[in-house]
Amino acid sequence: MKLFKSKLAFLSPIIVLVVVLVFGLTLIPSVQPTPKNLPIVFVNEDQGVDIPNQGKVNMGKTIADMIQKTSQSTSGEEPAVKFISVSSYQEAKKGLDHRDYYAALVIPKDFSSKQASLRGPKPISPEIEIVVNQGINTAGSTMAGTVLNGMVDQINTNVRTQLLKAFEVQGGTVTTKQAAALVSPITKKVINVNETGTNSMNGNAPVSLFQPLWMASIAGAVIIFLTLSKVRFATRKEKFSALIAQVLMGAVIALVAGFGLTWMADAIGVHISQFGDTALFLSLACYSFFLMISAVLSWTGIKGVPIFVIMLFFGAPLLAMAPEFMSPFYRDWINPWLPIRFLVEGLRDLFFFGKNFSWNHPTSVLTWIGVGSIVLIFASVVKFRSRQEEKSAAM
């Protein structure tokens, strides 16, 4: 049969194996991701209390020392969480709003005085605040909240043991109020900031919106490129004019994609608090991607398309992950160079952090990607050969 005489037919199993191996590598980031140095901010505002025969006691400092010991890895590996101490809740809140921390553990001013009251006739349970920064990343903030809840539970167990020993020394008499306080000597107050809400695809709306926008950018760039490739230009001036039209057409495509995707997301129930700002940002991102893809195609031809398809498959698993969950290779060498991550970061600011469409880090990066791409697109005119040059080369 002619099929078995074809070299391509014999190479097909090898090609399929290469495809499986290449795209199989995209699964690596999702296999048992474990956090390393997940940043959590710690605030100790405890003013302490004077106890007879003991002097000044500051239980907040005791907890801070315990946190420092538990966060240190004994195996030599990087710890799962990294506590950063700041002096005030205002400073911690600023870091949470700037996406520096996934959560905060706050010891209030009256913590020691209330804890000291647990041994008296009128016990008042002290309170620890756990502040979870939901909008920064669903997996990261959930993990941080779990760690802090477990830590407070452990503190509760230790305090309960100490109180029972103290009551035993006093003769074992415990009032009804003291017994009630022993159930949970320290109460937890969990506060969610920069909340993802109920209609945000479990906080993954920014990640979910990237794929249709990315595919729209590829489709638009390929269609315009193929259209231009069928046109014969007599001079470089004609070619340059066509490139200007390509850039302008990309802007129209981007606006249609940005506003269309925002309308569709809103129509299917995704909470879009700032329709105009979201649509403009998506349009900017789409235009930036369109220009970047067009710049590559202008130098490589249609052979450059697989680059962006591979970028889609390699980038998608990383976008939903916190950098602290990635392996060092993906965190240091893949994630920083993914242009699509700036789209997700910008959408997080708009969806969960109450920011407007403005000149911030994601916007500036996407803008400069677009500017650099425009330069490359126009520079590709040097490859163009006029009809006269083609005739001369043929002679």
Side-chain angles (χ1 to χ4, degrees), residues 2 12 57 66 72 89 92 106 152 167 179 183 271 285 295 301 305 309 340 359 379-380:
K2 292 183 179 180
S12 60
V57 174
M66 184 199 73
Q72 293 175 349
Y89 179 74
V106 183
V152 174
F167 288 135
V183 176
H271 178 64
V305 172
V309 176
I340 47 183
W359 186 258
S380 68

Side-chain angles (χ1 to χ4, degrees), residues 86-100:
V86 298
S87 57
S88 66
Y89 179 74
Q90 288 73 20
E91 186 178 351
K93 184 64 169 61
K94 184 178 179 180
L96 292 168
D97 291 339
H98 283 83
R99 296 186 295 171
D100 295 330

Side-chain angles (χ1 to χ4, degrees), residues 38 55 59 146 304 350 359:
L38 198 69
M59 294 304 300
T146 301
L350 290 168
W359 186 258

Side-chain angles (χ1 to χ4, degrees), residues 59 63 66-67 70 105 111 115 128 130 145-162 183-188:
M59 294 304 300
I63 294 175
M66 184 199 73
I67 287 175
T70 55
L105 185 67
F111 186 82
Q115 182 166 343
I128 291 181
I130 297 175
T146 301
V147 169
L148 293 182
N149 273 284
M151 185 171 291
V152 174
D153 289 341
Q154 182 60 46
I155 295 172
N156 249 327
T157 301
N158 295 339
V159 172
R160 187 183 300 112
T161 302
Q162 293 173 2
V183 176
S184 182
I186 298 174
T187 59
K188 289 183 291 187

